[in-house]
Amino acid sequence: MAIVSSISENISLAALAIESGQLVAFPTETVYGLGANALDGVAVATIFAAKQRPRFNPLIVHVSDLTEASRYALINAAAEKLAEAFWPGPLSLVLPRRPECAISSLVSAGLDSIAFRSPAHGIARHLLAATGLPIAAPSANRAGRISPTSAEDVEAELGDIPAMILNGGPCLLGLESTVVRLAHGTAEVLRLGALPREEIEAALGETLCRPDAATNAAHASPGQLASHYAPEARLRLGAAQAEAGEALLAFGPETPRFAGPTINLSPSGDLKEAAANLFAALRRLDRTGAATIAVMPIPAHGLGEAINDRLSRAAAER
Ligand code: AMP
Ligand code: MG
């Protein structure tokens, strides 16, 4: 079974599939997730196998709320503040595991912490409520590739691997969650994402630390590899114009004259719109067969920080 509509009957079937250890792909407001029962180590192992994901890259666990997360992790004041401000929403919180934590240790990739998120999307929430389980769900793509922002993208990435793909149409935000670790007495941003860093800092009343790239790669946030979100084509960033044979990923009202394949992420220069369109645009330009995608500069503020992070990883040496 592949893509199915998200009528409540299908969500009930999806809940049964999760309860029986199968994988279900479902929409969230960020990207589509590939979900499994986080308490079931075999089901979690199936996610790693399906995505060909390195075992050192931990998964985010989706929960209904902070009370559910508190059954598995230690909650501090900063976590309460951030969950109050942003949950449900595109913020993942990395918290210390409770010693008796029932979530599979595979989820944490051997770390003593777990990342939790309470998604805002109605289908994701419905699925969490129907199972009553914590659902481990990384993005529903093969490791290192572009995250899917539609049910069709999931099918193109994973084919028949999920027992079902719940169709919720295109994702509203289109970028993965921002990951903040609150595990060592500090608040650190481990991954930039759909919730701008400035908004988190304003709610917290403090500046978020950024672990340096070297420590990050080694252990802090093992999944944050230099090359990720990669299309087949090479990316040429900061391009003022595109050359013959290239495709153009444009941004804003003033775009260079170009006859080749072109997508403008946001003709009005709106970063939210650009974020929502980014992954689908990369996929579409990739399908033109162009060897290189020329990418116009994107402003560095607000969501632009996360967009530029994804673009630089997509452009990195593989
Ligand atoms: P994905 O599931 O593909 O959205 O990626 C989840 C990302 O969250 C991982 O690549 C890590 O960078 C980060 N993450 C998840 N769990 C932890 C954790 N316990 N400690 C640090 N980073 C985590
Ligand atoms: Mg991912």
Side-chain angles (χ1 to χ4, degrees):
M1 186 176 3
I3 300 178
V4 298
S5 70
S6 52
I7 53 171
S8 66
E9 207 176 305
N10 284 336
I11 297 179
S12 303
L13 287 174
L16 286 174
I18 296 269
E19 284 159 15
S20 67
Q22 294 179 277
L23 306 186
V24 169
F26 61 95
T28 79
E29 69 278 23
T30 61
V31 302
Y32 275 69
L34 181 64
N37 176 1
L39 305 178
D40 178 343
V42 176
V44 172
T46 315
I47 294 183
F48 281 89
K51 284 185 54 102
Q52 295 159 347
R53 181 173 175 113
R55 292 288 175 115
F56 59 77
N57 189 354
L59 307 180
I60 294 170
V61 176
H62 294 67
V63 288
S64 293
D65 53 29
L66 195 63
T67 306
E68 189 181 356
S70 72
R71 289 164 58 188
Y72 309 107
L74 301 171
I75 308 299
N76 52 33
E80 272 167 13
K81 208 184 230 180
L82 291 182
E84 173 73 33
F86 301 113
W87 278 14
L91 173 68
S92 296
L93 298 175
V94 175
L95 301 167
R97 286 177 76 104
R98 284 186 181 281
E100 72 282 13
C101 175
I103 287 178
S104 160
S105 58
L106 202 49
V107 162
S108 299
L111 300 170
D112 55 6
S113 58
I114 308 181
F116 287 99
R117 182 165 102 79
S118 177
H121 196 292
I123 296 171
R125 298 200 69 73
H126 200 139
L127 187 61
L128 286 167
T131 59
L133 290 168
I135 298 181
S139 51
N141 53 279
R142 306 243 172 204
R145 316 269 320 167
I146 306 172
S147 299
T149 53
S150 71
E152 293 75 18
D153 291 350
V154 177
E155 194 174 43
E157 280 288 329
L158 297 176
D160 282 338
I161 287 175
M164 56 206 292
I165 303 172
L166 291 170
N167 191 355
C171 298
L172 186 66
L173 303 176
L175 275 186
E176 298 82 356
S177 61
T178 306
V179 179
V180 171
R181 179 171 55 191
L182 301 168
H184 300 104
T186 52
E188 301 159 280
V189 60
L190 300 183
R191 176 175 76 184
L192 297 164
L195 184 64
R197 192 169 48 86
E198 297 93 318
E199 287 187 37
I200 303 169
E201 291 178 343
L204 209 52
E206 66 178 271
T207 312
L208 293 168
C209 309
R210 283 237 41 198
D212 70 86
T215 1
N216 213 356
H219 64 266
S221 193
Q224 296 304 289
L225 303 176
S227 172
H228 202 155
Y229 316 105
E232 297 292 334
R234 305 225 148 260
L235 257 60
R236 187 164 68 77
L237 302 184
Q241 43 217 42
E243 285 151 29
E246 291 185 332
L248 175 65
L249 188 61
F251 175 83
E254 276 150 43
T255 59
R257 291 171 74 86
F258 182 58
T262 303
I263 296 179
N264 193 325
L265 289 174
S266 171
S268 68
D270 175 2
L271 289 167
K272 203 164 177 190
E273 182 183 30
N277 290 332
L278 178 67
F279 289 147
L282 285 173
R283 280 177 189 275
R284 271 176 53 205
L285 291 180
D286 216 14
R287 281 198 295 266
T288 68
T292 304
I293 301 173
V295 184
M296 285 179 67
I298 311 282
H301 60 86
L303 279 175
E305 199 177 29
I307 296 173
N308 283 307
D309 169 81
R310 299 301 186 270
L311 286 169
S312 63
R313 290 179 206 276
E317 282 300 322
R318 301 169 200 161

